[in-house]
Structures are given as C-alpha cells and as structure tokens.
Amino acid sequence: MAKGSDRVRFNVGGKIFETTTTTLANAGRDSMLGALLDENWNLNAGDGAAAEYFIDRNPACFSVLLDLLRSGELHLPPHLPDKLLYREALFYGLLDHVRAARWGPFDGDRLRLSSSIYGRAPSDATAIRASPDGGCCVAHGRVVHIYDWMLDEHRPINLDYQQVNDAGYVDSGHIVVTVSERPGHTIGGMGLFSSSSGELRHRFRVYHDSKAKTFTAGALCFSDSQFKIFASCKGRSNEYGIGVWDQNTGDQSDFFYEPPGCPFGEADELQWIKGDNFLMVATIFPRIEKCFIGILDFREKNMVWSWTDDGRMTTASLDEKRVLHAIVMENNRSICVVNQYEDLGFLDLRSNRGGGVRWSSRSKLLKRKVRGEETCYPKLVMKSGQLFSSMNDTISVFSGPDWVLTSTLRSSVGGSIHDFSIGGDRLFALHSEENVFDMWESPTLPIL
C-alpha cells in the first residue's frame, strides 16, 4: 500500500473530515464505518490520495463520533442535544460505543438517577420491563406502552378488552404479552408482538385433546439457551399448569399439568434456572393465603423440590412474616424470599423437603413507609452478583456473601415503587403514583 493510502476522507453534510483506517477499525465490522474496511470495498484511491465518501448526515454529530473512535472518550458540546447524537450514532452503528463511553458497566452501588420520565406511566400501571438494549415497556390495563433506548415512544400494543397480566422481551425487537381470557369469547392467552410497530406476529395456543383452547396466561419467563417460553396457564377444561412454547415457531412443545395442592396455574413468578434446566414456580400472597414454591424438571416430568408456608399461617394477616416474592439465587443452591418488612429469607434447595426459611432481619433499618401511600409489595431481582429489593419508595442493594446492605436507590418523586426491572445496563422503577417511572444508570469511572 502506498504511503498515505490508509487515509480516508468523508464529506459529511458539506464538511470535510479526514481519518485513517486504524480509527475506522475501532468502530467494529458491524458498524457502517467499520464495514468500509471490508475487502469488497476499495479504500485506496491511488497515488497516496485519500478515498472520499459523501454522507448526507449531520456534520456536528459526525465530529463527536469520530473523536470518540479516536480517543475512546465522549465529549458532547452543550449545544448538541443528546437525542440528536443518539439518532446519528444509531445510523452509523455506533450506539454501543456511545453508551459504553457515557455509562459504565452495571453496578448497583454506582447507580445514579439518570432521569424521571413523567406522563408515561399511568397510575394504574401494573408492570415495567426492561429490554436487552436498554429500552422498556410499561403495562397497564389493556395497553403496553413501548419505549426505545432513547425513551422515544413507539406504537403501543393494544389488547382491546383483554387485561394484560405480564410482558417480557424475547429480544429487543419482540415482546411477549400474557392476557386474561374473556368469558364468552375465544380470545385470551399469549401473543408475540413487534416492539417497533406493536403489531401481532403470532399467538401462542394451548391444546387439550388435540383442540386449541382459550386460556388465561399469567406469569412469564424465557429460557435463552433452549429458546423456550414458559407461562402459567388456566383454562375452562384441564388447562391448569405451565405451558411451554418454542420461541421461534410459537408452537406448543410441552405442558406441565398441576398436581393436587400445587397451584401452578395461579403462579405469580416463574424463573428458569440456568445450568440445572429446571423451572421455579412461585404462587404467593396475596393471590393465595399460603405461599407455594416448586422446582420443576420438565425432562422427567416431576417436581424435584417444593416448599409451602407452615400450617400456622392460615390467615392473610400481614402481622406475620409472609413471603411476598421469591427468586432463585445465581449459585442455584438457595431461593431468596422477602416479606413485608423487607426481611430477606433463604430456603435451601439442597434439602429435599425444603425446610424452613432462614430469615435475616433488616426490619429495624428499613421499616419506613411513605406517608399517605398504600404499601407496595416488595420485589426481588438479581443482577451481576447483587440482590435488589424494592420496598415502598426505595430499592435496596445487597452485596457480598452475607448479603450486606451496600446502597439504596430513592427518587424524590413518584411515591412507592410498584415494580422495577433491569436490562441493558439500566434499572427502571415504576412508581404507583404521579404517572412517572425512573431510569437509573452507572456513570463511567473518571479518567485518572
């Protein structure tokens, strides 16, 4: 290659930029700029002259993005709006570079409130779900509102007269929604929708005696490695249990019928246990008076572990330590549960009979209630070896082998936290009042 032949010139919106193939390589082959290095492109204009390409885009944004590729640092001029840069970065395939430069890896102890989004979460909203790329959706009533990574709203998913029970992202482009059956109608169950257009791609059906049945679908989870979708189901005939569908085809691949005393069809929480290929099913207060947690093995069609509240807890009174949420820990050896005081408890999965809850009391520290607000039930989420628990208007972060409280997340607006979700290195918190949800991110570490 002749001297200087690694130079590349761009005319972006009438402004000339010159760079090198080394800088373009930092964009990655999946980007538009990195693709110019493909052998099918000829960057050598001959005689040492730089190749030149015209791009009809914003030159100010291109300057920022080119500097990012050169230095690895993002310097955004005050006059340049964030969303304009994000739009241009998306065009060039550099959005991940921008995000990595602006926000560091997810760390619960370093999360900072990035923004509170008003007017996007109606007061009757029931759930918020983060997408793999950092967007989210908010479900309430019969509608699921969808927001991309820039929090621009897309066309919502409207289920007409069907109540939304749960929602989840198969991937950044597709959302599964579970809904209640309508009496007297042959609709209900689950559907796969486009997250960009809100259009229905296909419905998931339950078959009983070789006939498709209408049913109510509730809790939802996914198995990434096996490309399966799991949902709690209940219908008019014998469709009570956990349904399984293929993510790619939408075909039903299995159904685990609930045995007596095991309310699978009413499950509030499903979790795929990676490595063991088991499914946790939890049906908890206030849906039922006694909490039930089971571990299902679909290969052998049996329940390998189960636990329920003891017989003394026969009332729905919150004076007792009632289990209100449950999650399998990342080591797959225990299940963490939480009660109305945000006491964390642990169940040993290595005990065939389940045993009792080993409570770790934190009530004296965290028994704050928002004045004038109805208490929201706590939720648990695990991410990157940290445990997150919501209680009233606060999300607590627990770390280390003894799950020590290491930080708390609290916004000054919105009231109690109804639900929260983590995805794409962001945490989203849905408030019960004031039509608002929060977005939390981890800022990059300072350069020394």
Side-chain angles (χ1 to χ4, degrees):
M1 182 177 293
K3 183 179 179 180
S5 62
D6 66 335
R7 290 183 291 133
V8 185
R9 182 177 294 142
F10 292 95
N11 182 336
V12 182
K15 186 173 181 179
I16 302 300
F17 298 87
E18 191 165 315
T19 187
T20 66
T21 55
T22 301
T23 297
L24 293 182
N26 293 332
R29 288 300 179 96
D30 292 334
S31 69
M32 171 188 168
L33 299 180
L36 295 177
L37 301 178
D38 191 275
E39 60 183 9
N40 294 324
W41 287 79
N42 181 16
L43 293 181
N44 188 359
D47 299 326
E52 181 174 311
Y53 298 92
F54 176 74
I55 305 176
D56 191 17
R57 303 294 295 192
N58 186 291
C61 290
F62 187 84
S63 177
V64 172
L65 296 172
L66 189 58
D67 182 67
L68 172 61
L69 295 178
R70 288 169 174 157
S71 66
E73 300 175 19
L74 181 66
H75 299 285
L76 189 63
H79 66 277
L80 199 62
D82 284 359
K83 287 193 174 183
L84 178 59
L85 179 69
Y86 298 157
R87 184 195 71 188
E88 295 300 285
L90 183 63
F91 171 80
Y92 293 109
L94 297 176
L95 194 54
D96 286 344
H97 289 69
V98 172
R99 291 169 58 180
R102 190 153 197 175
W103 302 104
F106 186 88
D107 183 348
D109 292 328
R110 295 180 54 249
L111 286 174
R112 299 293 181 268
L113 181 62
S114 178
S115 60
S116 293
I117 297 89
Y118 295 86
R120 310 279 189 95
S123 57
D124 62 345
T126 55
I128 190 165
R129 297 290 180 264
S131 72
D133 65 353
C136 72
C137 67
V138 178
H140 71 97
R142 301 170 180 87
V143 179
V144 179
H145 293 279
I146 307 169
Y147 306 93
D148 60 24
W149 185 79
M150 293 179 283
L151 297 185
D152 287 335
E153 186 170 3
H154 290 236
R155 180 182 175 185
I157 298 171
N158 194 322
L159 280 301
D160 294 326
Y161 300 102
Q162 300 171 82
Q163 179 71 32
V164 174
N165 294 320
D166 201 356
Y169 286 84
V170 175
D171 52 44
S172 298
H174 300 90
I175 298 175
V176 175
V177 179
T178 66
V179 297
S180 296
E181 175 189 24
R182 284 184 63 200
H185 296 76
T186 58
I187 56 176
M190 300 174 27
L192 178 72
F193 297 83
S194 166
S195 60
S196 58
S197 67
E199 295 178 351
L200 176 66
R201 294 295 171 86
H202 62 252
R203 292 179 61 186
F204 300 91
R205 301 184 182 276
V206 166
Y207 288 88
H208 184 65
D209 292 335
S210 300
K211 295 182 180 179
K213 301 290 185 178
T214 181
F215 65 102
T216 288
L220 182 68
C221 82
F222 306 93
S223 165
D224 296 334
S225 59
Q226 298 188 7
F227 303 102
K228 292 181 179 179
I229 301 174
F230 300 85
S232 58
C233 305
K234 53 182 181 179
R236 303 178 197 176
S237 300
N238 192 29
E239 307 86 42
Y240 275 76
I242 305 299
V244 190
W245 294 265
D246 184 280
Q247 287 186 15
N248 297 318
T249 65
D251 296 332
Q252 180 183 339
S253 60
D254 207 345
F255 198 93
F256 199 119
Y257 291 94
E258 64 177 35
C262 303
F264 294 166
E266 298 283 352
D268 305 271
E269 185 72 19
L270 301 180
Q271 182 184 350
W272 181 250
I273 306 176
K274 297 179 180 179
D276 290 342
N277 294 319
F278 293 158
L279 182 76
M280 183 200 76
V281 181
T283 309
I284 49 186
F285 180 83
R287 187 181 296 272
I288 59 174
E289 292 186 353
K290 289 185 179 181
C291 172
F292 171 85
I293 303 175
I295 303 294
L296 310 185
D297 182 352
F298 275 82
R299 295 167 301 185
E300 302 295 332
K301 276 295 192 300
N302 67 345
M303 186 163 54
V304 298
W305 184 96
S306 65
W307 175 87
T308 186
D309 289 344
D310 63 42
R312 292 174 298 174
M313 292 186 177
T314 56
T315 67
S317 172
L318 281 179
D319 293 335
E320 301 288 348
K321 289 186 176 182
R322 304 309 305 265
V323 169
L324 300 180
H325 204 235
I327 188 172
V328 178
M329 305 299 281
E330 288 180 339
N331 61 11
N332 292 357
R333 289 186 240 169
S334 62
I335 291 177
C336 180
V337 296
V338 64
N339 65 15
Q340 71 273 26
Y341 306 116
E342 206 182 19
D343 297 333
L344 298 182
F346 297 89
L347 290 160
D348 191 350
L349 284 175
R350 294 166 294 185
S351 171
N352 292 333
R353 296 184 179 180
V357 180
R358 177 172 55 86
W359 291 105
S360 176
S361 179
R362 306 176 193 275
S363 305
K364 294 180 180 179
L365 295 175
L366 303 168
K367 202 175 179 181
R368 182 177 70 249
K369 188 177 187 299
V370 182
R371 181 179 298 177
E373 296 256 354
E374 181 181 354
T375 299
C376 290
Y377 294 117
K379 301 287 178 67
L380 295 168
V381 172
M382 282 213 74
K383 173 72 172 180
S384 302
Q386 293 178 308
L387 181 64
F388 299 77
S389 175
S390 64
M391 185 67 182
N392 295 324
D393 64 340
T394 301
I395 296 176
S396 300
V397 184
F398 302 96
S399 308
D402 296 325
W403 302 112
V404 175
L405 176 65
T406 52
S407 59
T408 56
L409 314 177
R410 185 169 180 261
S411 172
S412 60
V413 298
S416 295
I417 294 172
H418 184 78
D419 192 21
F420 73 102
S421 180
I422 300 173
D425 291 335
R426 283 174 167 173
L427 183 149
F428 292 93
L430 174 67
H431 292 276
S432 60
E433 301 292 340
E434 298 190 25
N435 200 10
V436 62
F437 66 88
D438 298 325
M439 181 177 69
W440 297 74
E441 297 175 291
S442 302
T444 54
L445 294 172
I447 300 175
L448 299 178

